[in-house]
Amino acid sequence: MKKENFLWNSIKTGMLGGSIALFICLIGMTEVFSKRDVIEKVITLGQFVLLATSVMTGLIASRQTSQLVGENRSLHRLTAGLVAGLMTGVVLALFVLAGDKVNIRAVFLNATPGLYNILTFEKGVSGVWVLPVISAVSGLIGAAFLLLPQAAQKPLTQATLFLFFMALFSGLFRVVLINQGTNWEKIAKYLYGQTGVTSEGALIFFFAVVIISVLWSWRGQSVKTSVAHLPKGGKLTLRLLAFAAIGYVALGLPQVSGPFIAQVIVTVALFILMGLGLNITLGFAGLLDLGFVAFYAIGAYTVGLLTSYGPFGLQHISFWAAVPIAVLVAMAAGFVLGLPVLGVRGDYLAIATLGFGEIVRLLAGSDFLAKYFGGPQGVIGIQKPCLGVLEPFVKIDVPRVCNGIELGKPQDIYYVAVAAALLIAFVAWRLRESRLGRAWMAIREDEDVAEALGVNLIQTKLLAYMLGAAMAGLGGAIFATLIGSIFASSMQLIVSINVVSLIIVGGMGSIPGVIVGAIALIGLPELLREVSEFRYLLYGMTLIIMMLSKPEGLWPSQAAKRELHHVEASTEAEL
Amino acid sequence: MSKRLFAVLSVLVLASMLFAACAPKATEAPVPATEAPEATEAPEATEAPAMYECTDPLGCVKIASDEPLHIAYWGVLSGADGSLGEDSKRGVEIAIDDKGGKLLGHDILLTTEDALCTPEGGATAASKLATDTSIVALVGSSCSDETVGGVATLTNAGLTTVSPSNTRPSLSAPDRGPDYDGYLRTAHSDAFQGKAVAEFAYNFLGVRKAATIHDGSAYAQALQQVFADNFVALGGEIVAQEAVAKDATDMKPVLTTIASKGPEFLYYPVFVAVGGYITAQVRDVAGLEEVKLAGSDGIFTADFLKASGPNVKGVYLSSPDFSAFTGDYAGFITKHQAKYGGSTLSTFHAHAYDAANIIFAAIEKVAVVEADGTIYIPRTALREAIYATVDFAGITGNLSCSASGDCGAPVIAMYEVMNDDPASWNPADAANPNPKKVWP
Amino acid sequence: MRTSFGERMLDLIVSGFLWGIRILIVSVIVIGTIGTLRTGQYTSEQWIDFVVFGVAQGSIYALIALGYTMVYGILRMINFAHGDIFMTGAFGAYFIATWLTNTGFVDANPVLGLLIPILFAMGIAAAIAMLVERIAYRPLRGAPRLVPLISAIGASFFLEYAFRGFFGPGKYAYPPIKALEGSWEIFGIGILKVQIVVTIAAFIMMAILYFIVMFTKVGKAMRAVSENKDTAALMGIDVNRIIVSTFALGAAMAGAAGVLFSLVYRQIDFFMGFTPGIKAFTAAVLGGIGNIPGAMVGGLVLGVFESIGPSLFLEGLGITRPYQLKDAIAYTMLVMILLFRPSGILGERLTTKKA
């Protein structure tokens, strides 16, 4: 590669980086994020994102010069980073200059004076040169980073990421720490400010991670080997200790963390339940269902109608008695849906099930059936589960009094939800290893061959639908009692899409994959509520990037791994 | 396999390890497998002070002399209905400014939480706010659905919230249940609004045959039903009650069905999207060229003009009567103009201002101030003080809270849209209001 | 094959159940129709109105459905983001149309005032679709079929919320064209001008597309690729280029549909593509996916049924507020088609090879 070429390349990379930075500005992210700090009084989240873009641009431009050889290689790499970073800044500066002349806001709503202020560091048009300079320096830093030895790169990256993570969740950590008492309150206020970490906290986090990372790379291997060389009994003890620690934390967590984290974990657990259900129909048996929310809705409405003391309650039975009924009703619904679509294959199946899900939602929310399901007013006054020795199974009295412990708060429902998720994960795991599970997988691979081998297609497929539906129904049942009211508007198509996505992102057919997928796609966005404005934008990006970089999922099953590599080997065999 | 499964479970709790490590007793050496985890109860959030003994059943908030007094706003801040919540949030911010940003010598800190206008969003937002024990009281939520989802969590956490814009009648019904103990509102109940529209249509416009459309939302469905019941009670006839889906775009078929019944008056108390489609398409349907149109506070916003186009001229909209506000509404608008530029975004900013001030007054009444500036706010006493609000001079009127949480002064007026340019939206303008108040 | 008694019973139950559903749906439709017609609530002009509204809506569905069906025919993939491509077209046209209207150009040249936004929308939609194909779909060719579907869902979210970020969550009113206000008398019945223009424009677009696919070199290449990619490649066809042009062509149709939609309904927002997208996919399946005339027929049938269905089928059954269930009619029709004729109205029977 010639020298001119590499400069031109860096300019192109820089302009691409600049376009990305401009995109971030125009969708309003910069301005919204500027209200949050990464390090208090030092750098806001908005600035951090823009700088990170410049650093990454510089890094990529510098990496593109890797074919270059010769004495000035390091110099070339640094130049490339500098130029790319500069170009990123120049694109933004040009945008500011253009915005000074014409009213960009007439089209792009987020080209606000506030944004210009951020980009010019509140100096007006005269401050337009500051950003390219900072950006160029960032690009240079990105390039210089590549010149560092591998041993230095890793701790630095880890420390920066950890600091970023701490800053993102600072509000959460702060509040939870403060709730633990006076001493913890002091620590919390030392480390975290209202909207980010403090400078002292930033230093502590950064160097702590660097030190740990360096120590680990120095001694980690020997720790691993010594663990691997432990005698069998020792390993078992270690594992038991780990389980005990996990169980201890899981049991105590909601009491320590307060309702919010418990609520988020319950939501994740509900999606895990749905995910495990769909994992049977889609992951094991290969039947794509885009209307899975229907079973969730059926479970929720069954519990709602059976236990509610609102105007639509039918029976006022206890939650514990209603749940099995809800599961059975959802199972029956799976049977009813399964029958007509049995013969439907491939993408027709996706759209038929989507239609079914929508029909259920429309009917539940319609005025036509409002006298049974409450229509738009929903089913309200759903009772909370009650744990009591003398709690009768079925109660008729209104209003009901709980004679034991009422599981009313999210922290209490947490135990119900997590226990249900664990139980169903175990059931799903046993199912997969069973004869039925192997029949499902045979159908997924090739229906005709499976049939020829004596698998009864109708029966096997129906069972997949029914068991999947039952698990989703259980999720819906817990949802009903968590929120205490159900509305048809909660049962949108987006829920079904979320479930399909979390299975694929986690790894199709893999039970741990469902859990990982639910945490990544449901849990993280719930925790990061401050950026809810950009939730689905980031969600969409994550889906695309995941599919491009790791299509087998975060935690693939062994079979999927093999299959995917096989497919890659014989390209386009599927088509 | 099981190894991996359990490893995943450890991932599930990995993040939470940190919190657990922070629990005072959890810092002990790893527990043996058999030990029951009884050491997990959280310590009391509020330490018993040396001088002031907190005897309140719901506990007290302690604010040290150098700490801010923390209140929160929850409501919809993003999405299609975001302007509703943003508008109320501004009302709260202006109320704080009017206090000079300080109460009892402490800075007022306002935290906001987006509740997304859904019951789940409300539940999550409420649980997040309930986690923060430094919060004294809240203003919110914006949408009634949010309250239905989140109110139990807030009440159980000993918090009290005053909503500026929830209008669902059941939220302040006498039989609303103990979950609503911590809930009051300064907004009017739709029971008043629907009645006002019916009276306006029957008495002022003199129409006798009316039709309604709702969009399947709980708000619209309830409101049009209240209207229909009152209209019939006055002696009018409801010729059609129709409904469309929230994401419907083609209104002509449903309007044709309504046209076949020959109404003189069409009431659609919906939100901006459906309201815009109906307004834009209604004049194209044979038989509805002359029908009088009316909506409610859900579309009392400039966005509605933007969505409807030229047909919007002459549409009647019901809303709280700004001219009946006994307080200094003009002064509020001036402050709003100075702080945010442009006119108000929606209807309930003044209600939010009043809600915040009711809370401030109650805090001042119950707070125990120590010599060093530390204050204690007992939660039950605060809640009772808010319920005990009588003849509070707010912008929206003289407010008194009922035992079931209604603090509003429900005076509803009908406004007529005079100009289809969204930029001209300013119902409070003295010379050239748009929309203009026409009744009463 | 071994079939036990239990299995045969199960088969019997299944087919009995299916026939039950078929009979139920047909009888519901027949009884509802008779019930409505007997009340005589609507005049014949109003029935014609219903059909006209339905045809306008249906021709827009058909235009969007073309993109689905073409991409499906060639890649066997549901391009979930196609509805959002439709939205990008509408937004692109909005800004041009507003500008042209404000300068008075549209009032002076109504035809150009209509054409320029359409062409602009087609260009924007095609460009964005090519970008999406390049970034999100091309690297996944040959991956298991769910992988591109999820990527498409991601692209759909990304487009929606990027546009929401650019232009806000609010609604925009598409500027009306003065020349299209009012109605024309056709056979003594007043029909809105805009409906007529939109329907005709949609049919012209479809005719152009049909011509391109059937008679041009690119079109032939497209059909060849959709038959068999490897063979097509051996015949000297640049498969990648053909796939890109398929995306671009389908997107251009969706972009044009975006403008036509805006003309009829006069309101656009970032989420406007979602529901029409799903409806159009339903239309494509109704007509027989992968089949271009099928998409047109499917779109029209769906549009007309949605418009006429609530009053014709449901009102007669005494169902209150039937328009709330309009979408349910669309999806019930879909299930019905899949029950009676799984390959769609015009589709060939799929071979047992998985679609």
Side-chain angles (χ1 to χ4, degrees):
Chain A
M1 201 192 282
K2 276 183 285 177
K3 199 180 168 187
E4 300 84 64
N5 261 350
F6 105 80
L7 268 185
W8 176 234
N9 242 347
S10 317
I11 290 177
K12 273 201 295 194
T13 311
M15 275 160 65
L16 192 67
S19 316
I20 292 173
L22 190 60
F23 176 81
I24 292 173
C25 289
L26 285 182
I27 58 171
M29 216 182 228
T30 309
E31 216 181 334
V32 170
F33 281 11
S34 288
K35 291 176 190 142
R36 285 286 311 262
D37 289 319
V38 175
I39 304 171
E40 238 183 10
K41 299 193 187 87
V42 177
I43 182 167
T44 68
L45 189 57
Q47 290 165 337
F48 184 85
V49 169
L50 283 187
L51 290 189
T53 316
S54 300
V55 172
M56 283 312 289
T57 313
L59 200 146
I60 289 167
S62 162
R63 188 168 281 165
Q64 281 168 344
T65 64
S66 56
Q67 295 104 318
L68 283 179
V69 278
E71 291 168 17
N72 291 333
R73 199 168 149 223
S74 311
L75 191 66
H76 283 154
R77 300 188 106 184
L78 288 178
T79 323
L82 184 79
V83 170
L86 180 71
M87 282 314 295
T88 309
V90 165
V91 171
L92 289 180
L94 287 177
F95 162 72
V96 173
L97 289 177
D100 193 44
K101 295 281 178 295
V102 280
N103 182 13
I104 298 179
R105 207 178 175 185
V107 177
F108 293 104
L109 282 184
N110 286 306
T112 56
L115 176 65
Y116 295 133
N117 267 340
I118 293 164
L119 293 181
T120 56
F121 297 87
E122 322 222 322
K123 289 199 181 78
V125 187
S126 57
V128 84
W129 55 272
V130 182
L131 190 66
V133 171
I134 293 181
S135 198
V137 174
S138 312
L140 196 63
I141 293 173
F145 178 79
L146 274 187
L147 295 178
L148 291 175
Q150 204 84 48
Q153 283 181 7
K154 206 171 155 194
L156 283 180
T157 319
Q158 283 170 347
T160 314
L161 285 179
F162 183 76
L163 180 59
F164 183 62
F165 175 82
M166 276 298 170
L168 271 187
F169 293 104
S170 60
L172 209 59
F173 287 134
R174 187 172 192 267
V175 164
V176 171
L177 281 181
I178 286 177
N179 288 351
Q180 309 311 319
T182 333
N183 292 331
W184 292 102
E185 190 175 336
K186 277 182 200 135
I187 297 178
K189 285 181 180 164
Y190 183 71
L191 293 177
Y192 300 108
Q194 282 291 345
T195 59
V197 296
T198 57
S199 327
E200 295 89 349
L203 288 176
I204 292 173
F205 288 136
F206 192 85
F207 285 108
V209 174
V210 168
I211 290 166
I212 291 172
S213 176
V214 169
L215 276 181
W216 180 252
S217 61
W218 181 43
R219 296 291 310 165
Q221 206 50 51
S222 63
V223 173
K224 263 190 210 158
T225 18
S226 64
V227 169
H229 288 162
L230 272 179
K232 214 163 185 195
K235 263 190 207 166
L236 192 70
T237 323
L238 206 65
R239 199 181 286 174
L240 276 179
L241 271 178
F243 288 157
I246 291 168
Y248 175 73
V249 169
L251 280 172
L253 176 68
Q255 309 307 328
V256 175
S257 70
F260 176 56
I261 303 228
Q263 169 104 14
V264 171
I265 293 179
V266 173
T267 313
V268 170
L270 295 184
F271 274 89
I272 290 176
L273 283 175
M274 273 197 282
L276 289 170
L278 187 62
N279 198 34
I280 288 183
T281 37
L282 174 61
F284 295 171
L287 305 163
L288 178 54
D289 188 336
L290 280 181
F292 211 59
V293 69
F295 305 123
Y296 185 69
I298 287 166
Y301 267 95
T302 309
V303 164
L305 294 175
L306 286 177
T307 69
S308 161
Y309 282 99
F312 302 103
L314 298 174
Q315 286 299 326
H316 314 312
I317 65 175
S318 94
F319 173 75
W320 307 109
V323 166
I325 301 176
V327 170
L328 286 178
V329 172
M331 221 164 166
F335 181 75
V336 171
L337 167 72
L339 275 182
V341 299
L342 271 177
V344 180
R345 283 183 174 195
D347 297 312
Y348 287 128
L349 184 64
I351 195 77
T353 48
L354 185 152
F356 178 73
E358 288 291 283
I359 289 175
V360 167
R361 175 177 69 85
L362 287 166
L363 286 178
S366 72
D367 285 11
F368 167 50
L369 296 175
K371 45 185 178 297
Y372 309 109
F373 301 123
Q377 305 299 336
V379 177
I380 53 171
I382 297 165
Q383 61 170 283
K384 303 286 180 188
C386 176
L387 269 187
V389 194
L390 295 175
E391 167 80 354
F393 222 51
V394 175
K395 290 196 117 183
I396 318 283
D397 55 327
V398 183
R400 171 180 152 281
V401 190
C402 179
N403 292 324
I405 311 158
E406 186 172 44
L407 302 180
K409 290 181 284 194
Q411 297 99 299
D412 308 329
I413 307 241
Y414 165 93
Y415 295 107
V416 179
V418 170
L422 286 180
L423 176 74
I424 295 301
F426 180 74
V427 169
W429 173 54
R430 290 316 305 161
L431 270 174
R432 196 185 61 174
E433 307 296 320
S434 72
R435 186 187 158 79
L436 186 59
R438 289 196 298 276
W440 283 330
M441 278 174 246
I443 290 183
R444 183 184 69 191
E445 298 309 325
D446 195 316
E447 275 187 22
D448 302 327
V449 173
E451 193 168 20
L453 288 175
V455 174
N456 183 332
L457 285 187
I458 295 180
Q459 196 185 336
T460 317
K461 281 185 174 182
L462 271 180
L463 272 173
Y465 270 111
M466 288 164 66
L467 289 172
M471 294 177 185
L474 178 59
I478 298 173
F479 172 77
T481 189
L482 170 75
I483 305 286
S485 50
I486 335 164
F487 298 90
S489 57
S490 305
M491 310 301 171
Q492 301 280 359
L493 177 59
I494 182 85
V495 178
S496 308
I497 291 179
N498 271 333
V499 179
V500 175
S501 305
L502 78 86
I503 288 186
I504 310 281
V505 166
M508 208 166 87
S510 143
I511 292 163
V514 170
I515 299 170
V516 173
I519 293 172
L521 291 187
I522 309 295
L524 283 185
E526 282 290 326
L527 288 177
L528 281 173
R529 291 180 57 80
E530 288 90 343
V531 300
S532 59
E533 191 79 11
F534 304 103
R535 174 176 179 168
Y536 283 109
L537 186 85
L538 298 172
Y539 187 89
M541 256 163 66
T542 312
L543 288 188
I544 298 177
I545 293 171
M546 267 302 300
M547 289 304 102
L548 293 181
S549 59
K550 221 168 149 45
E552 74 274 23
L554 291 169
W555 194 309
S557 65
Q558 292 304 318
K561 238 188 225 166
R562 255 178 287 134
E563 185 182 317
L564 207 88
H565 288 289
H566 169 72
V567 168
E568 266 168 14
S570 58
T571 352
E572 309 203 359
E574 184 85 0
L575 303 166
Chain B
M1 182 55 232
S2 65
K3 202 167 140 195
R4 291 199 107 181
L5 184 70
F6 283 115
V8 162
L9 295 176
S10 65
V11 170
L12 179 75
V13 289
L14 200 70
S16 40
M17 286 278 222
L18 229 138
F19 309 130
C22 303
K25 289 185 189 169
T27 43
E28 298 163 359
V31 282
T34 47
E35 189 180 310
E38 82 285 346
T40 47
E41 71 274 17
E44 280 301 302
T46 47
E47 302 258 311
M51 290 138 101
Y52 173 73
E53 201 69 43
C54 179
T55 54
D56 197 281
L58 292 175
C60 302
V61 191
K62 175 194 169 191
I63 303 163
S65 55
D66 59 339
E67 283 179 343
L69 189 146
H70 196 171
I71 65 166
Y73 172 80
W74 58 304
V76 55
L77 293 169
S78 65
D81 307 306
S83 61
L84 175 68
E86 181 67 30
D87 184 65
S88 304
K89 191 187 99 191
R90 290 179 178 183
V92 178
E93 285 171 349
I94 292 177
I96 294 173
D97 287 355
D98 280 3
K99 287 271 169 198
K102 276 182 183 303
L103 197 67
L104 300 168
H106 291 256
D107 287 339
I108 301 174
L109 172 70
L110 178 70
T111 299
T112 60
E113 198 59 46
D114 190 351
L116 306 171
C117 212
T118 61
E120 304 89 88
T124 315
S127 69
K128 185 160 184 196
L129 292 168
T131 305
D132 192 340
T133 46
S134 68
I135 291 176
V136 179
L138 307 94
V139 178
S141 64
S142 336
C143 302
S144 300
D145 274 354
E146 295 166 349
T147 297
V148 170
V151 71
T153 304
L154 292 178
T155 300
N156 289 336
L159 290 161
T160 307
T161 185
V162 182
S163 166
S165 64
N166 290 171
T167 58
R168 185 173 303 169
S170 62
L171 299 183
S172 61
D175 62 345
R176 59 187 184 154
D179 281 349
Y180 284 82
D181 283 349
Y183 174 85
L184 303 92
R185 64 174 161 199
T186 53
H188 56 82
S189 159
D190 277 337
F192 299 107
Q193 182 163 227
K195 186 162 176 262
V197 178
E199 282 167 3
F200 164 76
Y202 192 88
N203 296 331
F204 182 79
L205 295 179
V207 293
R208 293 294 175 266
K209 287 166 129 186
T212 66
I213 305 180
H214 73 79
D215 62 359
S217 65
Y219 158 81
Q221 198 258 352
L223 193 47
Q224 61 85 27
Q225 194 56 49
V226 173
F227 165 81
D229 294 345
N230 280 291
F231 194 72
V232 171
L234 287 167
E237 186 194 350
I238 296 291
V239 293
Q241 273 175 296
E242 285 296 343
V244 294
K246 241 179 183 164
D247 56 358
T249 52
D250 193 0
M251 302 295 168
K252 286 176 194 130
V254 68
L255 290 169
T256 304
T257 296
I258 288 176
S260 75
K261 313 270 172 62
E264 304 162 83
F265 181 80
L266 179 60
Y267 181 49
Y268 46 105
V270 292
F271 291 106
V272 169
V274 171
Y277 285 123
I278 293 176
T279 315
Q281 295 170 28
V282 65
R283 301 297 178 206
D284 294 343
V285 174
L288 294 179
E289 292 90 347
E290 297 301 324
V291 72
K292 295 200 166 62
L293 305 174
S296 272
D297 50 4
I299 45 178
F300 194 83
T301 147
D303 277 349
F304 172 59
L305 305 195
K306 204 161 136 190
S308 307
N311 276 349
V312 78
K313 250 185 274 183
V315 174
Y316 299 105
L317 298 173
S318 69
S319 152
D321 186 351
F322 297 110
S323 64
F325 287 0
T326 50
D328 182 17
Y329 186 56
F332 176 88
I333 291 297
T334 317
K335 285 173 216 156
H336 185 282
Q337 182 82 28
K339 192 170 164 84
Y340 304 104
S343 58
T344 53
L345 297 171
S346 184
T347 327
F348 293 104
H349 40 269
H351 296 82
Y353 180 90
D354 285 354
N357 276 318
I358 287 177
I359 291 173
F360 294 154
I363 291 174
E364 280 171 336
K365 210 180 331 174
V366 302
V368 178
V369 186
E370 300 277 311
D372 64 347
T374 306
I375 53 178
Y376 296 91
I377 299 168
R379 292 193 185 278
T380 314
L382 176 66
R383 188 179 282 176
E384 282 164 1
I386 296 176
Y387 271 99
T389 303
V390 177
D391 267 336
F392 181 87
I395 293 184
T396 59
N398 281 334
L399 308 177
S400 304
C401 297
S402 74
S404 56
D406 252 327
C407 303
V411 185
I412 304 292
M414 294 301 291
Y415 288 77
E416 183 182 354
V417 179
M418 309 303 290
N419 186 334
D420 62 335
D421 179 11
S424 72
W425 178 269
N426 190 357
D429 193 68
N432 222 347
N434 180 40
K436 184 177 150 194
K437 182 184 158 189
V438 289
W439 180 86
Chain C
M1 202 189 297
R2 298 167 294 139
T3 47
S4 68
F5 176 73
E7 285 178 1
R8 259 179 287 155
M9 277 307 290
L10 189 67
D11 284 352
L12 208 66
I13 293 172
V14 169
S15 55
F17 184 84
L18 288 187
W19 275 108
I21 293 182
R22 288 173 196 175
I23 293 167
L24 183 80
I25 293 177
V26 172
S27 51
V28 160
I29 290 176
V30 171
I31 295 171
T33 310
I34 294 173
T36 307
L37 292 180
R38 274 182 53 190
T39 59
Q41 182 195 340
Y42 299 100
T43 62
S44 56
E45 267 160 40
Q46 278 167 331
W47 286 120
I48 292 172
D49 276 347
F50 281 133
V51 174
V52 172
F53 300 148
V55 167
Q57 172 84 67
S59 54
I60 292 170
Y61 285 158
L63 270 182
I64 310 173
L66 286 173
Y68 274 113
T69 235
M70 285 166 65
V71 168
Y72 192 89
I74 218 157
L75 284 179
R76 297 279 178 278
M77 124 183 212
I78 304 176
N79 181 8
F80 208 86
H82 192 62
D84 302 298
I85 300 285
F86 157 84
M87 177 268 299
T88 63
F91 261 100
Y94 166 80
F95 288 106
I96 286 284
T98 312
W99 180 63
L100 289 179
T101 310
N102 289 344
T103 54
F105 179 83
V106 175
D107 292 337
N109 311 292
V111 176
L112 277 182
L114 181 64
L115 266 184
I116 292 175
I118 289 187
L119 289 176
F120 193 75
M122 291 169 81
I124 290 224
I128 290 179
M130 290 195 297
L131 208 65
V132 169
E133 194 271 339
R134 182 69 195 84
I135 295 171
Y137 301 159
R138 193 183 297 177
L140 298 177
R141 230 173 272 157
R145 40 190 313 113
L146 275 175
V147 170
L149 175 70
I150 297 296
S151 185
I153 289 175
S156 166
F157 280 130
F158 184 81
L159 284 178
E160 277 164 19
Y161 286 86
F163 269 66
R164 187 191 135 144
F166 287 150
F167 307 117
K171 312 270 166 185
Y172 288 83
Y174 196 85
I177 297 179
K178 283 229 172 58
L180 290 183
E181 277 166 20
S183 49
W184 279 312
E185 292 273 317
I186 296 176
F187 305 122
I189 302 159
I191 298 179
L192 292 173
K193 284 183 193 171
V194 69
Q195 308 260 10
I196 297 172
V197 170
V198 162
T199 311
I200 291 174
F203 275 93
I204 293 174
M205 303 293 306
M206 287 189 255
I208 294 175
L209 180 90
Y210 194 70
F211 175 81
I212 293 178
V213 172
M214 295 312 286
F215 302 110
T216 64
K217 212 173 164 187
V218 180
K220 280 180 188 151
M222 279 176 189
R223 283 183 290 146
V225 172
S226 88
E227 284 292 325
N228 189 325
K229 263 197 223 56
D230 299 332
T231 318
L234 288 178
M235 297 294 156
I237 294 171
D238 182 348
V239 174
N240 258 339
R241 204 175 64 90
I242 293 304
I243 290 176
V244 171
S245 33
T246 310
F247 268 93
L249 203 56
M253 292 295 136
V259 182
L260 301 181
F261 177 94
S262 316
L263 283 175
V264 182
Y265 304 118
R266 298 176 199 167
Q267 201 190 125
I268 62 174
D269 67 290
F270 75 99
F271 207 62
M272 65 186 278
F274 189 75
T275 312
I278 289 175
K279 292 288 181 58
F281 185 69
T282 307
V285 173
L286 276 182
I289 194 155
N291 179 321
I292 288 176
M296 303 181 196
V297 173
L300 287 177
V301 168
L302 186 67
V304 171
F305 266 65
E306 270 194 6
S307 168
I308 210 167
S311 45
L312 185 62
F313 309 143
L314 299 184
E315 244 184 308
L317 291 172
I319 290 179
T320 47
R321 326 266 157 90
Y323 285 95
Q324 232 178 0
L325 299 175
K326 191 175 86 169
D327 293 352
I329 292 185
Y331 296 121
T332 312
M333 258 179 75
L334 176 85
V335 174
M336 217 168 69
I337 285 285
L338 290 176
L339 284 182
F340 282 112
R341 213 184 135 74
S343 50
I345 300 171
L346 292 187
E348 316 134 42
R349 255 189 202 283
L350 281 179
T351 51
T352 38
K353 184 124 178 92
K354 270 164 255 172

